[in-house]
């Protein structure tokens, strides 16, 4: 089952909760406006970011029969992980996005219909910025892949098996992922159909 997002807005004395959001909708309707200091319009109410506490959970879909009598948030809390800090940090980085990272992200997604390995992503960064040091090219490639993974626009696979979220960081930070030995398994990115178009 695909994981979704659940959101809580608190502005004393009011609380609103929204369930089963895809990442694109979460970012567009709630997180980006909140980070940018813009009013959030929801349930015929305006939520001022400076007075509103925002909480984001990531986990399984909450079924309709679990939403009755105010039980939905308890169910979401029980089965989900609090990702508020991570989601807000990504939105803040997006607000100050590096154009070279955004361009590379779009190139990777365009090519990831057929899985693209990390060495090819590194090569794309090098081709776009041949005057840069290799370390700078690798830095852009790492950031692009990291953001695409968290925006759920690509999946990371090794020998056709998807690499779980808890292993993304160690995989991205290993140089061998970007320059594999001849006998090692290449780490590839595969586009996720219907992934978030944010960027």
């Amino acid at each position: 089952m695909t994981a979704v997002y659940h959101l809580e807005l608190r502005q004393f004395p009011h609380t609103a909760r929204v369930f089963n959001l895809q990442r694109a909708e979460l970012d567009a309707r709630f997180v980006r406006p909140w980070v940018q200091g813009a009013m959030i319009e929801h349930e015929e109410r305006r939520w001022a970011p400076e007075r509103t506490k925002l909480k984001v959970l990531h986990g399984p879909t909450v079924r309709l029969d679990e939403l009755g009598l105010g039980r939905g948030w308890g169910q979401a809390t029980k089965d989900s992980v609090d990702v508020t800090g991570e989601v807000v940090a990504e939105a803040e980085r997006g607000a100050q996005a590096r154009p070279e990272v955004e361009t590379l992200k779009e190139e990777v997604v365009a090519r990831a219909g057929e899985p693209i390995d990390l060495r090819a992503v590194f090569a794309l960064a090098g081709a776009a910025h041949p005057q840069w040091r290799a370390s700078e090219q690798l830095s852009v490639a790492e950031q692009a892949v990291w953001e695409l993974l968290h925006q759920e626009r690509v999946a990371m696979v090794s020998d056709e098996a998807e690499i779980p979220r808890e292993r993304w960081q160690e995989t991205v930070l290993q140089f061998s992922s970007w320059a594999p030995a001849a006998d090692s398994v290449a780490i590839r990115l595969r586009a996720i159909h219907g992934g978030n178009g944010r960027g």
Side-chain angles (χ1 to χ4, degrees):
M1 182 185 297
T2 303
V4 294
Y5 293 87
H6 312 294
L7 172 90
E8 179 182 72
L9 298 171
R10 280 185 175 273
Q11 181 178 299
F12 184 81
H14 306 288
T15 300
R17 290 162 177 157
V18 189
F19 299 91
N20 305 329
L21 292 163
Q22 296 299 316
R23 182 61 185 268
E25 184 180 8
L26 172 74
D27 285 342
R29 288 182 56 198
F30 301 104
V31 182
R32 280 206 298 260
W34 192 81
V35 163
Q36 294 165 1
M39 285 285 186
I40 297 171
E41 306 275 350
H42 179 66
E43 291 186 347
E44 300 181 358
R45 184 175 299 282
R46 304 185 81 203
W47 303 80
E50 67 275 11
R51 297 195 302 275
T52 301
K53 289 187 177 180
L54 178 143
K55 186 170 191 173
V56 181
L57 304 178
H58 188 241
T61 299
V62 177
R63 301 189 316 267
L64 283 176
D65 62 295
E66 295 171 326
L67 291 173
L69 303 174
R71 292 177 301 151
W73 192 250
Q75 186 67 37
T77 303
K78 182 176 74 172
D79 295 334
S80 303
V81 177
D82 187 335
V83 293
T84 308
E86 177 182 307
V87 168
V88 168
E90 288 167 17
E92 288 172 339
R93 282 199 302 273
Q96 303 167 352
R98 296 166 64 186
E100 58 271 19
V101 172
E102 298 304 309
T103 300
L104 181 57
K105 281 162 56 178
E106 296 311 316
E107 280 194 64
V108 170
V109 170
R111 293 167 185 250
E114 290 295 322
I116 178 174
D117 67 26
L118 294 191
R119 182 170 31 192
V121 177
F122 189 10
L124 286 172
H129 306 285
Q131 74 281 12
W132 288 8
R133 295 191 304 269
S135 59
E136 294 172 318
Q137 295 167 357
L138 181 58
S139 172
V140 168
E142 284 181 347
Q143 185 175 345
V145 168
W146 187 251
E147 291 184 10
L148 287 171
L149 287 166
H150 282 82
Q151 291 167 1
E152 298 175 1
R153 298 177 69 188
V154 299
M156 183 182 283
V157 295
S158 173
D159 201 20
E160 300 311 311
E162 189 167 328
I163 295 173
R165 187 183 190 96
E166 59 269 18
R167 287 188 49 215
W168 287 352
Q169 183 170 349
E170 66 180 82
T171 304
V172 170
L173 294 180
Q174 285 175 353
F175 186 69
S176 60
S177 298
W178 300 90
D183 60 347
S184 65
V185 176
I187 306 298
R188 293 185 168 86
L189 301 176
R190 181 179 64 220
I192 297 176
H193 180 68
N196 178 2
R198 180 170 75 92

